[in-house]
Amino acid sequence: MKSLITSAALALAMTGGAFADGHANTVTLQLQWVTQAQFAGYYVALDKGFYEAEDLDVTILPGGPDIAPPQVLAGGGADAMLNWMPSALSAREKGLPVVNIAQPFKTSGLMLTCWKDTGIEGPQDFKGKTIGVWFFGNEYPFLSWMSQEGISTDGGEDGVTVLKQGFNVDPLLQRQADCISTMTYNEYGQVLDAGVSEDELVTFKYEDMGVATLEDGIYVLEENLEDPVFVDKMTRFVRASMEGWKYAEANPEEAAEIVLENDETGAQSEAHQVRMMGEIAKLTAGSDGSLDEADFQRTVDTLLAGGSDPVITAQPEGAWTSVITDAALN
């Protein structure tokens, strides 16, 4: 994230370059990845008229490997972004004042998927192994986990060799890595689709390991929350978005179809998106959009436990607010 939060972007944010189009009813949302069921709630809200019912004109911007949502937000390209909390808190500590206003995802879908024949049965067996890890802010949960386990990430017999993993599963399939990062709703299915059976794999869910951090929260720039007009439209946006999420949970196949209709690249398949939506529904289940303070603190504690190179160095102040969800839910 250090390389992504540029001084130019920070300058824009600090000098009022934040998105301020003057329209009380227009919202631009920057996704953190390409159009897929991971973001179904927003597409459903758009398709089913939930945003329109709140008098909102919403534009959803897909992400991708070359798009850093914090940069887009800082540069004025969006009202709100989706981001994993480790990335957002790191950006905030580095000077970009992002604030979590809603948390549709209650639990984490992040896990490591390993070949069983490597002999890996638990985290201590990672020593001497090569593990694929996503970067650009996604590495923080892994680095914190290894620090808590007392395992070096500098390689060698007593440490792990970290392979900077692209957004695919090739390193595992080609045996370049013993384990790779996967999401329950995406890459794990890709491994299975490649002909690998579940019996050949060992998986470690971050949620089960006690090092899960919050994912896919809605973030805005702090200065914009001082504007009552902005707060009002974000309240309506969150309310309609959560209506979209609950509809998607209850109607996963229809939600997947809506996502496919919005995928301008045509890269997604129906089977993959239906499966993804089924897994995503497990992560949003139980959330009404409000951030649970205990979940926030667990994320912070995990990130602070980063040994000599923690993700954040101090307890964040003002990194989230319940003002929007309190208003949206009442």
Side-chain angles (χ1 to χ4, degrees):
M1 195 52 66
K2 292 177 183 175
S3 61
L4 296 178
I5 307 302
T6 64
S7 57
L10 288 174
L12 272 168
M14 298 304 184
T15 56
F19 198 82
D21 61 2
H23 297 296
N25 297 313
T26 60
V27 176
T28 300
L29 174 68
Q30 176 64 60
L31 305 183
Q32 64 191 94
W33 194 239
V34 297
T35 300
Q36 58 183 18
Q38 178 183 358
F39 314 113
Y42 309 102
Y43 287 114
V44 167
L46 188 62
D47 183 83
K48 305 301 287 187
F50 301 155
Y51 290 136
E52 186 178 5
E54 293 282 358
D55 294 323
L56 291 173
D57 178 10
V58 174
T59 299
I60 301 174
L61 302 177
D66 300 321
I67 297 173
Q71 246 186 350
V72 175
L73 197 65
D79 286 287
M81 69 168 180
L82 302 183
N83 213 337
W84 286 9
M85 187 168 281
S87 172
L89 291 181
S90 176
R92 184 176 175 86
E93 187 166 284
K94 291 179 177 70
L96 183 65
V98 296
V99 177
N100 178 299
I101 61 167
Q103 188 60 46
F105 278 46
K106 176 69 175 173
T107 51
S108 166
L110 181 62
M111 58 185 186
L112 283 184
T113 296
C114 310
W115 285 114
K116 184 178 287 186
D117 62 17
T118 59
I120 293 174
E121 296 180 357
Q124 288 307 308
D125 299 322
F126 293 157
K127 293 179 180 179
K129 301 296 195 292
T130 297
I131 297 180
V133 179
W134 293 314
F135 276 70
F136 299 107
N138 299 329
E139 73 274 24
Y140 298 137
F142 174 78
L143 297 177
S144 293
W145 181 16
M146 291 303 98
S147 178
Q148 291 183 45
E149 294 285 348
I151 300 175
S152 165
T153 54
D154 296 327
E157 292 184 5
D158 293 325
V160 298
T161 297
V162 175
L163 173 71
K164 287 192 176 183
Q165 181 183 334
F167 293 96
N168 58 56
V169 298
D170 292 347
L172 189 77
L173 299 178
Q174 298 170 6
R175 294 280 181 167
Q176 297 168 343
D178 301 292
C179 308
I180 60 169
S181 300
T182 58
M183 301 304 292
T184 55
Y185 52 81
N186 196 0
E187 290 77 15
Y188 183 68
Q190 292 177 26
V191 174
L192 300 181
D193 286 345
V196 180
S197 75
E198 292 190 25
D199 292 341
E200 296 177 87
L201 303 171
V202 177
T203 57
F204 300 91
K205 292 185 179 180
Y206 280 61
E207 200 75 49
D208 296 339
M209 296 291 106
V211 291
T213 54
L214 289 169
E215 299 161 5
D216 290 61
I218 303 175
Y219 294 82
V220 302
L221 288 176
E222 189 169 0
E223 65 190 59
N224 288 340
L225 291 172
E226 298 171 7
D227 178 2
V229 173
F230 182 84
V231 168
D232 175 66
K233 76 175 180 179
M234 283 297 106
T235 298
R236 289 179 282 138
F237 173 73
V238 167
R239 183 163 51 229
S241 296
M242 289 313 301
E243 188 177 357
W245 273 118
K246 295 305 135 181
Y247 188 95
E249 282 179 28
N251 304 276
E253 292 194 7
E254 183 183 352
E257 286 294 334
I258 290 171
V259 169
L260 287 168
E261 289 168 5
N262 282 276
D263 174 29
E264 295 181 358
T265 69
Q268 307 292 0
S269 72
E270 181 177 5
H272 184 55
Q273 291 308 301
V274 169
R275 180 171 60 195
M276 184 184 293
M277 186 60 239
E279 292 297 325
I280 287 291
K282 298 175 185 177
L283 306 183
T284 57
S287 173
D288 60 5
S290 57
L291 173 60
D292 185 312
E293 190 164 2
D295 292 342
F296 171 80
Q297 196 56 51
R298 179 194 66 192
T299 296
V300 169
D301 291 344
T302 296
L303 300 180
L304 285 171
S308 61
D309 189 23
V311 176
I312 53 176
T313 60
Q315 176 76 29
E317 298 293 336
W320 69 281
T321 179
S322 64
V323 169
I324 301 296
T325 50
D326 285 349
L329 299 171
N330 294 324

